[in-house]
């Protein structure tokens, strides 16, 4: 979840009651769930967009930046940012004329929009979009979204493992009159007791 949020969760684990920590964990899981749902929608939309035939193209089919922004539900400044980053670069009907998006560029913008909604960052998209404009477009989109899917799975597993560790912290700090001792037989011997005071303060040596 990132070092800043992880720090807040760990600090909350040492406070009483534990409701604050549990709320933060719930929010983290909810965000991952939302990202998964967005990714699934992007997968379906990107596949449909990539499969659309590009036939019977006319000059009148081109869109202005304001028209495309309205169609996508984004601000014109977003399209200008994509232009500056080289993701979707519109042309001009004539030298010095306004920027116009051809049907192919409109499709590129729709794909970028879906990938951005799925959490894909601008830097990887700069490398991906030239491949999407060439043959094998649908396969590249699928591969790009699969990378995002794998990242979400890794984060979900990490959050699950972290929750198990936090459950141990809660157990150590739950009984203020009890000083638990962790017994590990073998060469390492017995670990020192962890006092509730140290567990609550978050000190670790």
């Amino acid at each position: 979840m990132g070092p800043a949020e992880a720090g807040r969760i760990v600090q909350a684990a040492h406070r009483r009651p534990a409701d604050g920590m549990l709320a933060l964990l719930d929010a983290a899981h909810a965000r991952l769930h939302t990202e998964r749902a967005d990714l699934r929608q992007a997968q379906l939309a990107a596949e449909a967009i990539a499969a659309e035939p590009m036939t019977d193209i006319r000059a009148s089919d081109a869109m202005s930046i304001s028209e495309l922004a309205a169609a996508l539900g984004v601000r014109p400044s977003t399209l200008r940012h994509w232009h500056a980053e080289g993701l979707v670069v519109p042309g001009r009907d004539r030298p010095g004329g306004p920027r116009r998006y051809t049907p192919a560029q409109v499709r590129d913008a729709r794909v970028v929009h879906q990938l951005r909604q799925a959490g894909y960052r601008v830097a990887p998209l700069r490398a991906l979009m030239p491949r999407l404009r060439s043959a094998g477009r649908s396969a590249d989109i699928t591969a790009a979204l699969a990378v995002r899917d794998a990242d979400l799975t890794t984060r979900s597993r990490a959050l699950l493992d972290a929750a198990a560790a936090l459950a141990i912290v809660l157990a150590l700090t739950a009984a203020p009159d009890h000083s638990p001792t962790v017994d590990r037989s073998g060469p390492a011997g017995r670990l020192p007791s962890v006092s509730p005071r140290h567990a609550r303060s978050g000190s670790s040596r």
Side-chain angles (χ1 to χ4, degrees), residues 65 76-90 99 101 122 126:
I65 186 171
S77 59
T78 298
L79 293 176
R80 294 189 184 96
H81 176 61
W82 294 351
H83 179 184
E85 294 290 346
L87 302 181
V88 185
V89 180
R99 295 285 184 180
Y101 291 85
V122 169
R126 277 199 299 267

Side-chain angles (χ1 to χ4, degrees), residues 3-205:
E5 184 172 1
R8 287 192 294 270
I9 292 174
V10 172
Q11 290 171 6
H14 292 282
R15 302 192 191 104
R16 285 294 165 273
D19 296 9
M21 185 208 73
L22 296 175
L24 290 172
L25 280 178
D26 289 344
H29 282 291
R31 281 194 300 275
L32 282 172
H33 172 73
T34 298
E35 289 183 48
R36 281 192 184 280
D38 290 344
L39 176 61
R40 181 56 181 159
Q41 291 298 317
Q43 288 171 325
L44 295 173
E47 290 170 5
I49 294 167
E52 289 176 355
M54 297 292 292
T55 59
D56 192 24
I57 298 174
R58 296 166 294 181
S60 59
D61 293 332
M63 301 178 72
S64 67
I65 186 171
S66 59
E67 290 171 337
L68 181 56
L72 294 177
V74 301
R75 296 180 178 180
S77 59
T78 298
L79 293 176
R80 294 189 184 96
H81 176 61
W82 294 351
H83 179 184
E85 294 290 346
L87 302 181
V88 185
V89 180
R92 299 181 190 272
D93 291 335
R94 62 184 185 280
R99 295 285 184 180
R100 302 283 291 177
Y101 291 85
T102 66
Q105 292 163 346
V106 168
R107 184 172 63 179
D108 287 345
R110 292 168 64 197
V111 171
V112 169
H113 181 50
Q114 291 298 331
L115 292 175
R116 290 288 291 147
Q117 285 191 315
Y120 222 78
R121 297 182 181 276
V122 169
L125 278 175
R126 277 199 299 267
L128 178 64
M129 288 309 295
R131 299 202 306 272
L132 298 187
R133 297 185 186 102
S134 62
R137 178 188 189 98
S138 180
D140 282 334
I141 294 176
T142 301
L145 292 173
V147 170
R148 177 66 176 162
D149 195 8
D151 175 66
L152 285 175
T153 297
T154 299
R155 289 168 56 199
S156 293
R157 180 57 187 268
L159 189 57
L160 179 64
D161 292 342
L166 287 171
I168 297 175
V169 174
L170 290 181
L172 290 173
T173 59
D177 296 329
H178 177 65
S179 179
T181 300
V182 180
D183 186 8
R184 291 183 182 173
S185 58
R190 184 182 297 274
L191 293 178
S193 299
V194 179
S195 71
R197 178 176 61 84
H198 286 165
R200 284 193 297 274
S201 65
S203 60
S204 176
R205 294 179 176 83

